[in-house]
């Protein structure tokens, strides 16, 4: 039963049994290496738009060189288009870094051909997530917010739910059914305890589909009853043995009818996401080819439509892909997901389609796409659906020449981008010419420069990042002349009027510093017109009411000071 459900990797016959060296070359160790990278990266905090960690990227790239032919053409095409957006990116360092991190995703997909690697990673990663979640609950450190340990852990555990439950329904013995039910129940418990509505929605759909398919496949009534009784009993037992009641806390906090109603209100979480998506679509409309993969957090302020409504992520990987990679990359992403999932759905391995689809659905509502470790998890689940349906990618010679060309072109481009970034460089021009003036390197580089050299760097940064607020922020920080501070502060407030009310205070204070009371008054009045005294901004989580009152008090003090002089 287990082999029928999970089969994928062809077994070599005695006539074609591979030697140990050939087996290594075929990729077993490479797949295990990628699995190790995915696991250890999950124990750190990395972001796909920040400096790529060579201890993760380079081993994954080395493994990918060995198993590159196992990644599907859709995956390689998706990656290659993202890398190509570097040519016109509005945030080139973000795009270069993002493309480098994404090589680990491709490696995770390719590594999924080796069944033991997939199961090892899924079980260990999900087990770690459950332990982390329950540990935080035990000590009272619970955070039901996007990108938190609970949200990420719930998405990982979601992948196990259909695998365990369907295997239980297909078991031939009661002992096996109880064993698989235990796995499914533990995963279900962790999923529910995550408090993530981004996880609850696909979970509900998965459970409905499992029931429907069980009916269609005529699962024996006795087996269905066994599973139906065992799973809730195990979930209840897990809740009962923990005095802090993680399941009750999560469902009471995030699944109540009152919370659902408030989330759809004017200032609710779901409404906020709709505003995020609205702004992100404007980026896509203004840049049909994409603003550059990974550029969202660098350009979002230029497209704000609602006061203080912004985030480093639009909380939807699909609209972010549209904004960063354009319509072409979104279509490639859809094809990359649809082809293996539809094929798996039509096969006995359909639980893997549910597993992968559930994980990817969470990316439509959360920020976890910014965690390379989670994206490796998502790509490995997708790869499992791809390979566990049929053994594809096992023969390089059997591939058609267009696919070979795409694979090799992408691999060479990936190696070139990685070498370009990681090869040591110590010259003064490395910051701009090698690292594209990356934001996370800028402060350290600028601090060591003289004023004239710093001015030249700022000109380069303005050219490379024409829509990025952080460049002006840095320029404002290093401005020594009062008139320069006024000019930059004015530009920040005028170009990014909805980012924060404190930009208007900076502008007004800079005007007062040069004795221009009229401009100071204009700055404050313009700020009060955007961030009104009687209208708390939609992006309230960016500023609590005390800070907002501080802005109002400071604005009125400036007006009073100007009027009294």
């Amino acid at each position: 039963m287990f082999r029928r459900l999970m089969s994928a990797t062809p077994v070599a016959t005695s006539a074609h049994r591979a030697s140990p060296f050939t087996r290594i070359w075929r990729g077993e160790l490479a797949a295990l290496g990628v699995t190790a990278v995915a696991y250890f990266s999950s124990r750190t905090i990395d972001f796909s738009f920040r400096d790529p960690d060579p201890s993760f990227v380079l081993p994954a790239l080395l493994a990918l060189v060995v198993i590159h032919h196992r990644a599907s053409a859709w995956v390689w095409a998706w990656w290659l288009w993202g890398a190509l957006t570097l040519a016109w990116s509005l945030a080139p360092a973000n795009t270069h870094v993002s493309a480098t991190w994404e090589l680990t995703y491709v490696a995770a997909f390719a590594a999924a051909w080796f069944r033991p690697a997939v199961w090892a990673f899924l079980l260990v990663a999900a087990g770690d997530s459950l332990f982390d979640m329950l540990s935080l609950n035990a000590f009272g450190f619970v955070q039901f917010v996007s990108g938190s340990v609970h949200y990420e852990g719930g998405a990982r555990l979601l992948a196990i739910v259909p695998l365990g439950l369907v295997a239980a329904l297909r078991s031939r013995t009661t002992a096996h059914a109880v064993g698989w039910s235990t796995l499914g129940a533990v995963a279900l418990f962790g999923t529910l305890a995550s408090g993530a509505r981004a996880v609850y929605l696909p979970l509900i759909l998965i459970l409905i589909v499992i029931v429907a398919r069980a009916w269609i496949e005529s699962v024996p009534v006795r087996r269905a009853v066994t599973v139906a009784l065992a799973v809730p009993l195990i979930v209840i037992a897990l809740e009962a043995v923990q005095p802090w009641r993680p399941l009750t806390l999560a469902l009471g906090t995030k699944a109540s009818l009152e919370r659902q109603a408030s989330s759809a209100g004017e200032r609710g979480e779901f409404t906020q996401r709709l505003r995020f998506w609205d702004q992100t679509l404007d980026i896509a409309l203004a840049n049909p080819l994409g603003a550059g993969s990974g550029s969202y957090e660098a350009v979002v302020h230029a497209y704000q439509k609602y006061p203080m409504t912004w985030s480093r992520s639009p909380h939807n990987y699909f609209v972010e892909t549209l904004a960063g990679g354009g319509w072409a990359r979104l279509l490639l992403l859809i094809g990359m997901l649809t082809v293996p999932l539809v094929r798996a759905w039509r096969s006995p391995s359909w639980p893997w389609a549910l597993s992968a689809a559930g994980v990817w659905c969470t990316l439509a509502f959360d920020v976890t796409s910014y965690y390379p470790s989670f994206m490796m998890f998502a790509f490995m689940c997708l790869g499992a659906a791809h390979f566990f349906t049929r053994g594809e990618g096992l023969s390089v010679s059997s591939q058609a020449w267009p696919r070979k060309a795409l694979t090799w072109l992408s691999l060479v481009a990936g190696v070139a981008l990685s070498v370009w970034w990681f090869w040591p460089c110590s010259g003064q021009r490395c910051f701009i010419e090698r690292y594209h003036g990356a934001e996370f390197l800028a402060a350290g580089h600028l601090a060591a420069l003289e004023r004239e050299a710093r001015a030249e760097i700022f000109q380069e940064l303005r050219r490379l990042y024409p829509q990025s607020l952080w460049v002006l922020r840095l320029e404002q920080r290093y401005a020594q002349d009062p008139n320069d501070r006024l000019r930059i502060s004015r530009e920040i407030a005028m170009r990014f009027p909805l980012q924060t009310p404190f930009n208007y205070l900076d502008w007004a204070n800079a005007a007062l510093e040069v004795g221009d009371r009229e401009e100071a008054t204009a700055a404050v009045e313009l700020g009060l017109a955007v961030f009104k005294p009687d209208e708390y901004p939609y992006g309230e989580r960016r500023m609590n009411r005390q800070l907002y009152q501080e802005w109002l008090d400071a604005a009125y003090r400036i007006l009073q000071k100007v009027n009294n002089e």
Side-chain angles (χ1 to χ4, degrees):
M1 179 281 303
F2 178 82
R3 290 186 177 180
R4 289 202 311 275
L5 174 64
M6 310 303 176
S7 62
T9 309
V11 179
T13 64
S14 58
H16 299 88
R17 195 174 303 277
S19 67
F21 177 79
T22 304
R23 289 182 62 80
I24 291 174
W25 181 250
R26 279 176 52 188
E28 283 88 343
L29 288 184
L32 291 174
V34 174
T35 303
V37 168
Y39 171 73
F40 287 111
S41 67
S42 70
R43 311 313 296 169
T44 65
I45 300 177
D46 289 302
F47 297 97
S48 59
F49 50 83
R50 286 291 182 261
D51 201 2
D53 190 333
S55 64
F56 297 141
V57 174
L58 294 182
L61 179 61
L62 179 62
L64 186 58
V65 170
V66 177
I67 57 177
H68 62 274
H69 56 282
R70 303 189 189 280
S72 73
W74 284 103
V75 174
W76 275 124
W78 165 84
W79 179 87
L80 185 60
W81 182 264
L84 284 175
T85 63
L86 179 60
W88 58 82
S89 176
L90 298 176
N94 295 59
T95 301
H96 194 147
V97 166
S98 178
T100 304
W101 273 118
E102 286 172 355
L103 289 170
T104 66
Y105 312 167
V106 179
F109 181 96
W113 80 277
F114 187 42
R115 183 168 59 231
V118 175
W119 271 109
F121 180 48
L122 262 62
L123 293 176
V124 172
D128 270 0
S129 295
L130 182 60
F131 178 80
D132 291 341
M133 291 164 55
L134 297 182
S135 297
L136 291 174
N137 277 83
F139 289 96
F141 300 130
V142 181
Q143 287 188 318
F144 296 133
V145 296
S146 295
S148 66
V149 169
H150 282 73
Y151 276 36
E152 183 182 3
R156 290 182 187 272
L157 287 156
L158 178 65
I160 307 295
V161 173
L163 305 180
L165 296 184
V166 175
L169 291 171
R170 290 178 170 178
S171 297
R172 293 183 177 180
T173 67
T174 302
H176 286 164
V178 172
W180 282 109
S181 295
T182 301
L183 176 63
V186 171
L188 178 61
F189 173 81
T191 302
L192 293 172
S194 69
R197 285 173 293 186
V199 173
Y200 290 168
L201 177 59
L203 174 64
I204 293 172
L205 297 177
I206 285 173
L207 295 177
I208 293 173
V209 169
I210 290 175
V211 172
R213 289 290 298 240
W215 177 269
I216 293 172
E217 295 181 1
S218 300
V219 172
V221 175
R222 180 180 178 182
R223 185 68 60 242
V225 170
T226 299
V227 175
L229 291 175
V231 171
L233 287 176
I234 294 170
V235 170
I236 293 172
L238 289 172
E239 174 75 354
V241 298
Q242 300 176 81
W244 43 88
R245 300 291 187 267
L247 195 59
T248 303
L249 175 63
L251 295 178
T253 303
K254 300 302 291 286
S256 65
L257 293 177
E258 294 81 5
R259 187 61 181 264
Q260 309 318 307
S262 66
S263 70
E266 186 180 15
R267 302 181 185 279
E269 295 91 338
F270 181 68
T271 307
Q272 284 288 70
R273 279 164 171 72
L274 292 179
R275 295 189 180 105
F276 289 153
W277 301 347
D278 182 24
Q279 294 175 163
T280 309
L281 288 175
D282 280 357
I283 301 176
L285 292 173
N287 304 274
L289 295 178
S293 179
S295 66
Y296 177 84
E297 63 98 22
V299 304
V300 60
H301 297 299
Y303 295 90
Q304 275 188 250
K305 299 169 67 174
Y306 309 96
M308 291 197 68
T309 303
W310 59 273
S311 172
R312 291 186 181 276
S313 166
H315 294 66
N316 187 313
Y317 180 65
F318 301 95
V319 296
E320 183 185 353
T321 296
L322 174 60
W327 299 92
R329 200 178 200 215
L330 178 62
L331 292 175
L332 290 171
L333 175 63
I334 293 172
M336 182 186 79
L337 295 173
T338 303
V339 171
L341 293 182
V342 169
R343 189 173 65 239
W345 175 252
R346 295 173 177 173
S347 76
S349 297
W350 60 265
W352 288 98
L354 283 184
S355 176
V359 171
W360 280 86
C361 279
T362 66
L363 294 172
F365 301 98
D366 207 352
V367 302
T368 44
S369 62
Y370 273 178
Y371 300 145
S373 60
F374 184 82
M375 291 304 290
M376 293 184 73
F377 184 91
F379 270 80
M380 187 167 284
C381 290
L382 182 64
H386 175 77
F387 290 112
F388 286 21
T389 304
R390 68 180 185 183
E392 182 176 318
L394 300 181
S395 173
V396 180
S397 60
S398 66
Q399 296 177 2
W401 72 264
R403 177 173 173 179
K404 286 184 182 179
L406 173 63
T407 299
W408 280 105
L409 176 62
S410 302
L411 182 64
V412 170
V415 171
L417 286 176
S418 300
V419 171
W420 183 270
W421 188 268
F422 291 118
W423 194 266
C425 185
S426 58
Q428 285 290 333
R429 295 297 300 174
C430 289
F431 172 65
I432 293 294
E433 296 176 357
R434 178 70 72 85
Y435 303 118
H436 315 289
E439 178 185 1
F440 50 85
L441 300 175
H445 179 77
L446 291 168
L449 298 179
E450 297 295 333
R451 182 176 181 180
E452 293 75 12
R454 194 180 295 141
E456 294 179 3
I457 293 296
F458 279 126
Q459 290 181 358
E460 293 283 355
L461 291 177
R462 282 176 173 263
R463 177 182 62 82
L464 291 171
Y465 301 87
Q467 296 184 3
S468 292
L469 172 61
W470 69 266
V471 175
L472 299 182
R473 286 263 192 242
L474 270 181
E475 197 171 355
Q476 182 186 43
R477 182 195 307 177
Y478 284 103
Q480 298 178 358
D481 183 85
N483 288 301
D484 287 339
R485 282 195 292 274
L486 174 60
R487 171 182 56 81
I488 298 168
S489 300
R490 181 194 306 123
E491 183 179 1
I492 290 175
M494 297 299 291
R495 286 184 58 190
F496 307 98
L498 302 176
Q499 197 259 337
T500 175
F502 290 103
N503 289 339
Y504 296 95
L505 287 182
D506 291 340
W507 180 11
N509 287 324
L512 290 176
E513 188 178 6
V514 300
D516 193 335
R517 294 181 296 170
E518 183 177 345
E519 183 166 354
T521 301
V524 170
E525 290 178 346
L526 185 57
L528 289 171
V530 177
F531 297 95
K532 302 178 182 179
D534 56 343
E535 293 185 13
Y536 195 49
Y538 291 131
E540 56 185 305
R541 287 170 181 77
R542 292 287 169 195
M543 176 181 294
N544 58 40
R545 292 185 181 273
Q546 179 181 349
L547 282 175
Y548 197 68
Q549 189 60 48
E550 289 179 9
W551 135 249
L552 295 174
D553 293 342
Y556 291 134
R557 281 198 300 270
I558 290 175
L559 291 177
Q560 184 178 10
K561 178 180 179 181
V562 170
N563 291 332
N564 291 338
E565 291 181 357

